[in-house]
Amino acid sequence: MNIPLSILDLAPINKGQSVGEGIAASVALAQRAEAFGYRRVWYAEHHNMSSIASSATSVLIAHIAANTSTIRLGAGGVMLPNHSPLTIAEQFGTLASIHPGRIDLGLGRAPGSDQMTARAMRRDPGSSDRFPDDVLELQGYLSGKSLVPGVTAVPGQGTEVPLYILGSSLFGAQLAAAFGLPFAFASHFAPASLMEAMAIYRRDFQPGAQLTEPYAFAALNVIAADSAEEAERELHLVKRARVSLLYGRSGRTFTDEEADLVIESDAGRQIEQMVRYSAVGTASEVRNYLDEFAELTGADELITAHQASTTEFRLRSVELTADAMATV
């Protein structure tokens, strides 16, 4: 099966790396993705996480766009309730003006953080409820048909930056269908509602200004290696890293032994559930899994999250996956 492949880059700061080194690794990944024919790379807005460097999402996209030439880049996504629609329209309108035809804007309604961090960002507790209206307001700014009298986005007006609704529940599917927008399901970490959400999106889709037919993405984890044993070892390292991500806030760190104990405990079931959809193995094994996953979900495009403990391993996974999927 030939299906477009894209990448979700969580902009990881691996153990022993500085933030600058982590960002440089994301530049290298985008360059490698461009060279190997991936359609796009997206970056997610996360806050107060010591191992993720994509909190200032639009700034990171600008830097990577300046160091690549053709690949599409975007947010996967901006957590819109953290911001005013006008601010995001101006930021992504600026990006689209500098890099025309290359910028995507995926939108989510989660905080991308914990409650204390949301408070530090001055997030309004009721902002999630306004998400549908904020999406329409943002779309108005970017199309040049502002819904706010006397207010235009400059830059932004008329750039028509394409919008994508992201979700890990049924709400995003319903909203994307109602607004006639593409939909991306975050099954790389929240797989439970994947199939139902995809079905609802396609069943209820209403054509809009951006799309006349539904277009759905499904995300999954990918660990491609030169041997199956190497891939399985890397998967275990990824699970250890998830322990720190889930349970290591406020400076809490885990030794490898402690992380393994968490993985083996009841708490580890959440981590196992998060990686339910994961293509792990050699290039041919990964291709087989991706083909089956695409057929299962009916996705129009796959978002691959290449999980790895080192930059070198992640880049190798990107290469092996692209080569395998290009082989007929």
Side-chain angles (χ1 to χ4, degrees), residues 26-60:
S26 285
V27 172
L29 184 143
Q31 292 170 337
R32 195 69 55 92
E34 183 173 82
F36 277 79
Y38 287 82
R39 179 166 289 186
R40 66 188 95 230
V41 183
W42 282 355
Y43 307 89
E45 177 187 346
H46 291 288
H47 300 279
N48 195 30
M49 294 184 180
S50 60
S51 61
I52 295 179
S54 52
S55 55
T57 313
S58 60
V59 179
L60 180 63

Side-chain angles (χ1 to χ4, degrees), residues 42-232:
W42 282 355
Y43 307 89
E45 177 187 346
H46 291 288
H47 300 279
N48 195 30
M49 294 184 180
S50 60
S51 61
I52 295 179
S54 52
S55 55
T57 313
S58 60
V59 179
L60 180 63
I61 293 169
H63 176 61
I64 293 175
N67 285 279
T68 52
S69 301
T70 57
I71 194 166
R72 295 191 69 87
L73 301 166
V78 161
M79 301 299 106
L80 191 55
N82 293 343
H83 314 274
S84 75
L86 178 61
T87 297
I88 296 304
E90 291 169 342
Q91 290 178 3
F92 280 79
T94 299
L95 288 170
S97 298
I98 299 170
H99 305 285
R102 295 184 59 200
I103 302 301
D104 296 332
L105 178 48
L107 303 170
R109 64 170 182 153
S113 62
D114 56 80
Q115 291 184 350
M116 289 298 294
T117 307
R119 184 179 303 172
M121 290 189 295
R122 305 298 191 267
R123 180 180 167 114
D124 180 348
S127 56
S128 292
D129 297 334
R130 296 194 299 273
F131 180 66
D133 291 336
D134 285 350
V135 170
L136 293 176
E137 183 179 336
L138 174 59
Q139 190 174 40
Y141 290 134
L142 294 171
S143 67
K145 301 174 183 177
S146 175
L147 302 181
V148 183
V151 178
T152 58
V154 182
Q157 180 180 10
T159 55
E160 303 283 359
V161 176
L163 303 183
Y164 304 77
I165 299 297
L166 314 183
S168 57
S169 68
L170 304 184
F171 176 85
Q174 294 163 343
L175 186 69
F179 287 179
L181 293 173
F183 174 58
F185 193 86
S187 35
H188 64 294
F189 76 90
S193 300
L194 168 62
M195 301 308 297
E196 187 177 2
M198 298 290 269
I200 287 173
Y201 172 65
R202 293 195 178 280
R203 183 195 69 199
D204 296 344
F205 180 84
Q206 298 294 317
Q210 186 173 320
L211 278 184
T212 57
E213 297 181 349
Y215 194 91
F217 302 74
L220 75 163
N221 303 292
V222 175
I223 301 176
D226 292 301
S227 72
E229 294 76 16
E230 188 180 5
E232 288 296 335

Side-chain angles (χ1 to χ4, degrees), residues 236 239-240 243 259-265 268-269 271-272:
H236 186 70
K239 291 177 182 178
R240 282 179 179 171
V243 171
D260 288 344
L261 287 173
V262 172
I263 292 170
E264 294 166 5
S265 71
R269 293 177 184 171
I271 294 169
E272 293 292 345

